[in-house]
Structure formats: structure tokens, C-alpha cells
Amino acid sequence: MTLPPEKASELKQIIHNHLTRMDIHGKIRDVLAETVRQELGTGHRPLSEEDFLRALQHRGIVDEVMRDLHFSQDIPATEASLSLKPATHFVDNEMTQLKKTNIDPARRCLYLQVLGGKAFLEHLQEPEPLPGQVCSTFTLYLNFRNQRFRSKPVPCACDPDLLEGFLLEVHKDSLGDGSRMVDATNMLSISDPVHMVLIKTDTSSETTLVSSYFLDWRSVLSAPNGKTSMAIELLGVGSECKVPVGVLNVKLELYPPLTETLTPDVIMTQQSLERQRTAEKERLFLVYAKQWWREFLEIRPSNQTKLVKIFAQDENGVNRPVCSYVRSLRAGRLLDTPRQAARFVSLLGMERAPVVGGGAKQEQWCSLLAFLCRNKGDCEDHATLLCSLLLGFGLDAYVCVGTKAKATPHAWVMTLGTDGSVTFWESLTAHRYLHRPIDPDAPPLAPSPSPQLCVFDLRDGSRWKAMSEEALRSVCAPGSTTSLPPLPALCASHLDPAATANQLELELRHLVAEHRKDLGLATVWDEQLSYLLSAALAAYELERCAGVSCGNEEFQDAVRRAVPDGHTFKGFPIHFTHRNARRAFATSLRSPFCDEIACCRGDHVRLAVRVRVFEYPESACAVWIMFACKYRLVL
């Protein structure tokens, strides 16, 4: 692998500073002096470079350098651009000061340090985890102007040990301004907040959205030394959006420091003007939306019962126009086709917003960052993400709201083809359905309303009442209001699919062997048969992803060759979106087909299991498992 020249020089500078901090030169001088005394003092030949390196390795100095030098990064999949490069997050063991070697001196950076959490009272009685013990953890996620970061997970506690540093690049988006050093005035006009999302992961790997917070970082512009500290009160989400969950101590630092700072009054005035402008736009849109709704209801009596969504609450209880949840989103090189995008979205978990005390469903349309960080959400979250990705792929895509069986509210995606075709996409399963309209006046009459009766010619004003594009742009276009959360880019998976599959397979083999041992049965594995199962699993994922079935003929032929005459082959494939071997095995055993394989009795019984893990963005994954056996029937 070849590094670009600028990255190579940056890496050299980092290593140089790390070696200086370790006083590596002093250690080398000591080793040199000792080696010279030992070797030359005995009359041996002159020391060579190999002798010197061997002495360094013998004393553990090389190992010490490599052990202490760590890098971690979370790079969004943005497309290459001269004016915008992804920020890199360097994690350093010492959190007391900013490492200047990590910074491009030609660009302005904001160093955001999290110096610990306080008063997370829900975890007041949380016991101290023992070394090696699995416990619930907090992970902090950040998004700032297309730069995403993730902290190291820390044990949940009343005062969680969240100590992390994030290096954020501050730049203007205008063409040609990306590489210039922004001054205080230009930074004051950058109203994009730092979106901070706190996620709790329990011992079974289930995630919970704890808080979603938008930090206005611009108070640092008035700090005399370019540094300021603050305590951020995090609030809950959903029905608990007014309840504090804890406090994060945060320190902000600009580098290079500003030569001329702004006064606090100037910053407060700018923020006040932005809030007033946003409030006025939202007020005017609300007035327009009310007028549009009155006109819609007057068109025909049946409109009174139609499900129409104009506003939806996000995780913080803020009412936002539904159009603001959908924006064209390009996945860079992480996704290649619209159907692959649908497969990715379907792998994210489905979970309705929790309701304290039961009752009706709580509707909650999460911001995209909160949805991606939690890796699960409601059907509306899936639909808005899929629609955004399909728009990025150049399709004419829309989110539809309606009801399923038993009048259950639901959301899905629709695309309109240039040939007039209409396709519905179920974002929870990646299934696609071609719309086949029927004549509403033809007998027998179908129940109304029904999608089959709909005519999806959205340009027909006699059938569809459109909203003003200008009104929608005023509150939904990127940058139109300061209350609109920035859209994050997708991040590549941090999983190693081969290593993950191998580990899962080893755990499943152990579970199968233990299960058979309890039944008094021996377990003999057939390695070749296990390997042959890979072809079938790859074909299953390809069919789910692209809708194309191929490769089964070769798999069936290989199995016929691997199973001798007079023997029987049984196979059971199953699909998961998690990586917990015990859960997967327990679920599989509920099927009588898998139970027959795991408890197989007969002559010359040979068992096989194969796992394939297919990675997708945001560490979503499709886990395919096949259990199989071959044996000779005994009459």
C-alpha cells in the first residue's frame, strides 16, 4: 500500500514527535554506550548496524515504541474533493494537551475535548466492573460538517470516564475557500453545530439512544487565549426529552489561535439574529401549512380520513417538516446500486420508540445521525434513509405514509420511472413491488382507499395537491434554518468480516458439540463439506441484495459429489443481523429442520457448519449460517 506524499510526511512528523516525547535519543545513547563497553572492551570486531539494532530490540525499546504508538480514525465515505478532506481522529494516551503534529497548519481546526461525565444518576448504583467483565458501556458519537467521530466505549457509571479528544476542521464550503484559513468573522457565519449522540450498549449488545445534543461551538471565538470550557447538560429523548440524563464537561480550543477575537456581544447578537430568522421562516411555513391543509380538506369529504403528514417530532421532541428528513444522500464508494442500498437499510434493526407505561405507539422520526449510531429505529427512520439514498442514486423517490393490516401506521418508499412505472420499496425487508393499478370504476369495486386504485401521476393537479416548492425550500433546504440538523455521511464498516465469521463458526461448533454431548452423541466434523456450504451462503446474499439467483447449480453438484451413495444430506440455512453465537444457535434450534441436523443419529454421521458475514456501511452486517449433516441410513 502506498501513502500519498502529504500523508507520508504527516505520519513521519507524528512518529518523530512521539519518539521525542519518549526521549528515544537518550535511550539510544545509553544503549550505544553500554554496547560499546561490552563489545569493544573485549577486543571484538567493530560494531555493525545489525549489532546495534539487535541491542535495541534486546532491551525492548523497539517494542515499547510500537506499543505506545496508536492511531484510530473514523472517516466518512465522502467523495474526493480538493476543497474538503476527511478529518482524521488521532487518539492519544495523553489527554492533557493538543498534539500539534496532528493538524494541517494551513487549515483552522477546533479541538473538542470531553473531560468526563457527571451526574448520570440512572447509573448511580452501577457496580465497578471487574477486570475482563462484560458490562454496559457509553459511546459518544460526533458529526460536524461531514466529519464523523466515535469515542472509545467506557463502562456506564454515575460519573463515566469519558475522556476523548476530537479534531474538527473548520472551513467554508464555497468553491476555492476550502483550503483557506478561515478568520473569526467567517467562522461566526458558520452556524452548523456539533451534533453529539450518546449511545448505551448493554451486555447483550443492544443499543439505546441516551441523548442527542447540538453544541453551538462559537463561544470559543471570544475566548482571549482561544480556549474555553463548559458543562453540557444532556437531556433524554422521546417522552423524556425534558429530563436531564447527565452532564459532560467539554473544553474547546482553536488552532492556530485567533489573532483577533470577537466580543461575546457580537457572538450573542449573531446567534440571536439566526434564531429570529429561523423562527420567522418556521412561523411563515406553519401559516402556509395551515392554509394548505384547510384547502385540502375542502376538496372532497374523503380527504377528512386520509393520513397526511406535514410535521413529525424528532428524538428531542422538536416538530419538523417531514420533508426535512429526506435529502439526497450519496454513499461514495460504500454502496454501488439502489438495491444494495435497500439491502443495507433493511439490515438496520427495527424498534419502535419506547413508551413509558404502555399505551399507543409513540411516533418519533429520528435525526439520521441518531438512527445510524443506534443502528436501529422505526419504519419512518428506515424509509427516510432509503429514500435519501435512492435520491442520491438519481431516482425519483418519495416517502409514502399509510397503514398496514389492522390500521397499523407504516411508511415505505416509492420510485417513479421515466416510463411511468411505479415501484414500492419496503425498507424493512428490501422487497420491491411493482404497482399494478386497476380502474376504480370497473367491477368489482375495490375497497377505498387502496394503493391499487391510486394514480401516481403527481403532476396531475386534479388528483394531487402539491405544496409550494418555495415554501418547502425555505425550511427544508440544507442551511435554510439553524434548527435543521446537518446530514452526516455514511461511514465504512470497522468489522473484519472474515475474522468475525471465523470466530462465530468456532463458537457455533462448540455449541453444537456440547448440545450433542448432552444427548450422548459424538460429533465428527467434515471440513470439506463445511467449506462447500460457502457457495450457497454467497448465493443467498446475492439474491437478497440484487434479486438475482445464481450459483445454486454448482453448489448442488458439489454436494452430490461430496455425499457418497446410500448417504443422506440435510442442510438448514438461516439469516441474522447480529453476531451473537448463542442467540443464533438458540433461534436456529427452534426450527425442526435444524433440530434434526443437530441431533442427527445414524451410521457414519458427519456434521458441517459454515458462517459468512457480509459487511455494509455503519458496521451493519448480514450473517448467514448453514448447518448441515450427511449420514447413512440404517434400516
Side-chain angles (χ1 to χ4, degrees):
M1 186 175 98
T2 304
L3 285 174
E6 64 274 10
K7 287 294 182 185
S9 60
E10 182 181 12
L11 182 59
K12 289 178 183 177
Q13 185 63 38
I14 294 169
I15 294 174
H16 171 76
N17 283 272
H18 182 73
L19 296 179
T20 302
R21 188 172 68 246
M22 290 184 60
D23 190 24
I24 194 67
H25 299 96
K27 294 182 179 180
I28 289 175
R29 283 194 298 270
D30 294 341
V31 171
L32 180 58
E34 183 179 348
T35 304
V36 168
R37 285 196 302 270
Q38 291 177 354
E39 301 292 341
L40 293 186
T42 59
H44 285 181
R45 57 176 173 76
L47 288 174
S48 65
E49 183 178 349
E50 289 77 9
D51 296 328
F52 186 51
L53 289 174
R54 196 179 305 114
L56 287 173
Q57 290 174 336
H58 178 70
R59 287 158 178 80
I61 293 176
V62 174
D63 292 338
E64 182 184 352
V65 171
M66 298 308 295
R67 184 175 60 251
D68 290 343
L69 193 59
H70 295 294
F71 305 101
S72 173
Q73 58 184 358
D74 204 352
I75 303 178
T78 52
E79 298 182 14
S81 170
L82 293 177
S83 61
L84 174 61
K85 66 176 185 178
T88 303
H89 172 206
F90 295 90
V91 179
D92 202 296
N93 291 334
E94 298 182 18
M95 293 300 303
T96 56
Q97 60 179 349
L98 172 60
K99 307 305 175 187
K100 304 301 190 288
T101 55
N102 300 345
I103 301 176
D104 183 350
R107 298 168 76 93
R108 183 81 66 188
C109 292
L110 173 68
Y111 188 55
L112 188 155
Q113 282 182 276
V114 181
L115 303 176
K118 298 289 183 184
F120 285 79
L121 300 181
E122 186 176 338
H123 303 276
L124 186 61
Q125 304 299 326
E126 203 86 19
E128 281 286 330
L130 299 173
Q133 179 186 11
V134 177
C135 62
S136 299
T137 59
F138 282 139
T139 307
L140 184 65
Y141 295 82
L142 267 69
N143 177 56
F144 177 68
R145 298 175 67 79
N146 227 23
Q147 304 162 64
R148 287 181 57 186
F149 305 92
R150 180 185 67 247
S151 75
K152 297 183 292 291
V154 300
C156 293
C158 181
D159 298 335
D161 195 24
L162 274 168
L163 300 174
E164 202 71 75
F166 306 97
L167 191 61
L168 317 176
E169 288 185 359
V170 186
H171 52 78
K172 295 291 286 182
D173 288 331
S174 304
L175 188 63
D177 288 340
S179 59
R180 296 179 185 172
M181 181 78 74
V182 290
D183 56 19
T185 303
N186 283 326
M187 284 192 288
L188 183 62
S189 66
I190 299 176
S191 59
D192 291 349
V194 179
H195 191 182
M196 308 172 72
V197 171
L198 186 64
I199 298 292
K200 175 186 175 182
T201 306
D202 65 19
T203 53
S204 60
S205 300
E206 289 295 321
T207 57
T208 304
L209 176 61
V210 178
S211 183
S212 175
Y213 184 85
F214 295 92
L215 171 65
D216 192 331
W217 52 275
R218 290 175 291 179
S219 60
V220 73
L221 300 177
S222 63
N225 56 354
K227 300 178 184 180
T228 187
S229 299
M230 61 184 71
I232 297 173
E233 183 181 55
L234 300 181
L235 299 177
V237 295
S239 59
E240 302 176 32
C241 61
K242 305 295 184 183
V243 181
V245 295
V247 175
L248 287 182
N249 293 319
V250 172
K251 181 180 179 182
L252 302 176
E253 177 182 358
L254 281 176
Y255 185 82
L258 294 173
T259 55
E260 294 184 7
T261 60
L262 304 176
T263 64
D265 289 343
V266 170
I267 297 174
M268 292 176 62
T269 301
Q270 174 70 17
Q271 293 169 335
S272 176
L273 287 173
E274 290 172 354
R275 285 193 295 269
Q276 292 174 16
R277 194 179 305 121
T278 294
E280 180 63 13
K281 287 184 178 181
E282 292 175 346
R283 185 189 68 81
L284 291 175
F285 181 77
L286 179 60
V287 171
Y288 168 76
K290 287 181 176 179
Q291 178 63 27
W292 182 93
W293 179 242
R294 282 194 295 268
E295 294 173 357
F296 178 77
L297 294 179
E298 292 170 359
I299 293 175
R300 58 181 67 91
S302 61
N303 284 1
Q304 298 276 351
T305 59
K306 290 185 177 179
L307 182 59
V308 178
K309 292 293 297 183
I310 302 177
F311 296 93
Q313 280 193 354
D314 65 10
E315 67 270 20
N316 291 325
V318 177
N319 272 318
R320 291 167 46 198
V322 290
C323 295
S324 67
Y325 291 88
V326 176
R327 276 175 274 176
S328 178
L329 176 62
R330 293 192 293 186
R333 300 186 184 277
L334 297 181
L335 297 169
D336 296 321
T337 66
R339 295 192 187 188
Q340 193 179 33
R343 176 61 171 155
F344 155 62
V345 174
S346 71
L347 293 173
L348 300 173
M350 164 65 183
E351 182 179 86
R352 299 195 182 281
V355 179
V356 178
K361 169 185 182 289
Q362 164 129 8
E363 187 174 287
Q364 176 179 296
W365 293 37
C366 277
S367 61
L368 181 54
L369 183 67
F371 176 40
L372 294 176
C373 294
R374 191 170 53 141
N375 254 191
K376 61 184 178 184
D378 212 334
C379 60
E380 292 87 359
D381 303 323
H382 288 77
T384 53
L385 173 57
L386 177 57
C387 186
S388 297
L389 288 169
L390 296 183
L391 288 172
F393 277 110
L395 300 183
D396 190 15
Y398 304 84
V399 172
C400 304
V401 293
T403 57
K404 295 193 302 182
K406 300 181 180 179
T408 306
H410 193 61
W412 62 96
V413 178
M414 176 186 72
T415 54
L416 302 180
T418 54
D419 59 353
S421 62
V422 177
T423 304
F424 293 114
W425 304 63
E426 175 49 74
S427 58
L428 299 178
T429 62
H431 292 162
R432 301 165 67 252
Y433 306 93
L434 189 63
H435 178 247
R436 301 187 185 280
I438 60 175
D439 185 354
D441 300 322
L445 294 179
S448 180
S450 172
Q452 290 87 352
L453 297 174
C454 291
V455 177
F456 289 98
D457 181 3
L458 304 184
R459 295 166 297 183
D460 186 348
S462 65
R463 297 178 182 270
W464 296 90
K465 180 173 174 57
M467 274 193 163
S468 162
E469 292 187 15
E470 183 180 353
L472 291 174
R473 278 196 300 268
S474 68
V475 290
C476 297
S480 58
T481 64
T482 56
S483 62
L484 197 62
L487 195 69
L490 296 184
C491 278
S493 173
H494 66 270
L495 294 175
D496 183 339
T500 304
N502 188 61
Q503 181 62 31
L504 272 174
E505 197 169 299
L506 291 174
E507 293 176 12
L508 287 171
R509 285 194 176 201
H510 174 73
L511 293 171
V512 171
E514 288 295 313
H515 183 70
R516 290 178 61 82
K517 183 179 178 181
D518 292 341
L519 300 173
L521 300 174
T523 304
V524 181
W525 296 103
D526 188 321
E527 300 295 341
Q528 176 62 11
L529 183 59
S530 296
Y531 178 73
L532 296 182
L533 303 179
S534 289
L537 300 181
Y540 297 148
E541 181 60 22
L542 178 62
E543 186 174 3
R544 289 284 184 97
C545 187
V548 178
S549 178
C550 65
N552 279 324
E553 298 85 356
E554 293 85 354
F555 167 67
Q556 293 170 5
D557 187 64
V559 169
R560 291 190 189 100
R561 290 176 175 274
V563 179
D565 292 340
H567 285 64
T568 299
F569 169 82
K570 291 182 179 180
F572 174 75
I574 190 168
H575 169 261
F576 298 97
T577 58
H578 64 78
R579 305 182 297 279
N580 188 303
R582 288 192 176 275
R583 281 174 57 194
F585 186 56
T587 303
S588 301
L589 283 180
R590 295 190 193 122
S591 167
F593 300 105
C594 183
D595 187 64
E596 284 181 14
I597 294 172
C599 306
C600 180
R601 299 173 183 266
D603 184 26
H604 205 69
V605 176
R606 296 293 182 267
L607 294 166
V609 64
R610 192 66 170 174
V611 178
R612 286 295 308 273
V613 175
F614 299 89
E615 62 173 346
Y616 287 85
E618 302 297 330
S619 298
C621 64
V623 178
W624 283 97
I625 303 173
M626 181 178 275
F627 300 92
C629 68
K630 65 178 182 180
Y631 60 96
R632 184 165 56 194
L633 287 173
V634 179
L635 300 177

